[in-house]
């Protein structure tokens, strides 16, 4: 399996622009998570989906952030308008629920820089 | 209160020696899972080891073992025979059952540096 795929790997944009991050989970996984990692706040869960349905979005910082999962193989995280404080590494992770470990498999991350 | 606490921001260990990375957690849920992830400088998150709250034995995976002390609410990661490639950030995480679903809460991480 190719693992969790994220694109782009790096994104540099200017304040006020719209940014869209993309994620393809591992085939067959029914949970998908979006995390943000910064030096100040560490790893934070933003939102997660189960069977394409958003379950908990309490970590989404503001209305500028939105996430969708139109099907089992694709999710987007959108920031509109972007601000410098959104600069971070954004990870997508997925797993398939079972009775064992349920470890989340992480994508390589998208490093976002907002100027 | 912090759910996951990693008190060592950075640690050094000599190559080939063992090292223990500390993790304490806070939960009132009787069913939970504890995870350790490694993040090398390249940035990816790599799953290392898992311990379930009902597991009777400490988890082991190759050179990684988990020193699980349930009464103390600690789940320390032990890396035996350290290698240069072990230099990385290490994160402890917890998954609680019930309403929290399957989300993970991460600690602040420990940066491990292996000296040759």
């Amino acid at each position: 399996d190719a693992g969790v795929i994220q694109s782009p790997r790096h994104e540099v944009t200017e304040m006020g622009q719209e940014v869209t991050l993309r994620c393809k989970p591992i085939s067959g996984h029914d949970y998908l998570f979006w995390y943000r990692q910064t030096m100040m706040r560490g790893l934070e869960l933003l939102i997660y989906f189960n069977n394409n349905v958003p379950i908990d979005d309490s970590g989404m910082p503001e209305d500028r952030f939105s996430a969708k999962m139109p099907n089992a193989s694709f999710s987007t995280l959108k920031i509109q308008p972007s601000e410098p404080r959104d600069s971070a590494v954004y990870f997508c992770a997925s797993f398939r629920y079972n009775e064992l470990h349920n470890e989340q498999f992480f994508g390589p991350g998208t490093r976002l820089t907002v100027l | 209160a912090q759910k996951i606490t990693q008190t060592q921001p950075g640690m050094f260990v000599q190559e080939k020696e063992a090292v223990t990375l500390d993790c304490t957690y806070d939960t009132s849920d009787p069913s939970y899972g504890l995870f350790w992830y490694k993040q090398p400088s390249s940035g990816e998150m790599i799953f290392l080891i898992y311990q379930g709250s009902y597991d009777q034995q400490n988890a082991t995976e190759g050179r990684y073992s988990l020193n699980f002390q349930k009464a103390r609410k600690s789940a320390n990661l032990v890396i035996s025979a350290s290698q240069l490639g072990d230099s990385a950030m290490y994160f402890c995480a917890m998954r609680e059952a019930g309403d929290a679903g399957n989300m993970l809460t991460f600690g602040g991480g420990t940066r491990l540096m292996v000296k040759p």
Side-chain angles (χ1 to χ4, degrees), chain A residues 31 37 91 95 101-102 104, chain B residues 35 37 39 43 95 102 104:
Chain A
Y31 281 84
Q37 185 178 32
F91 287 101
F95 80 90
H101 295 176
N102 289 324
Q104 295 181 14
Chain B
F35 301 77
Y37 282 84
Q39 186 177 40
R95 183 196 71 233
N102 287 283
L104 289 179

Side-chain angles (χ1 to χ4, degrees), chain A residues 97-111:
Chain A
Y97 181 80
N98 57 57
E99 296 301 318
L100 299 176
H101 295 176
N102 289 324
E103 71 265 28
Q104 295 181 14
F105 294 84
F106 281 73
T110 295
R111 182 174 295 277

Side-chain angles (χ1 to χ4, degrees), chain A residues 43-58:
Chain A
L43 267 161
E44 305 173 277
L45 176 68
L46 299 177
I47 184 171
Y48 79 94
F49 297 82
N50 177 216
N51 292 321
N52 314 336
V53 176
I55 303 299
D56 188 336
D57 65 354
S58 58

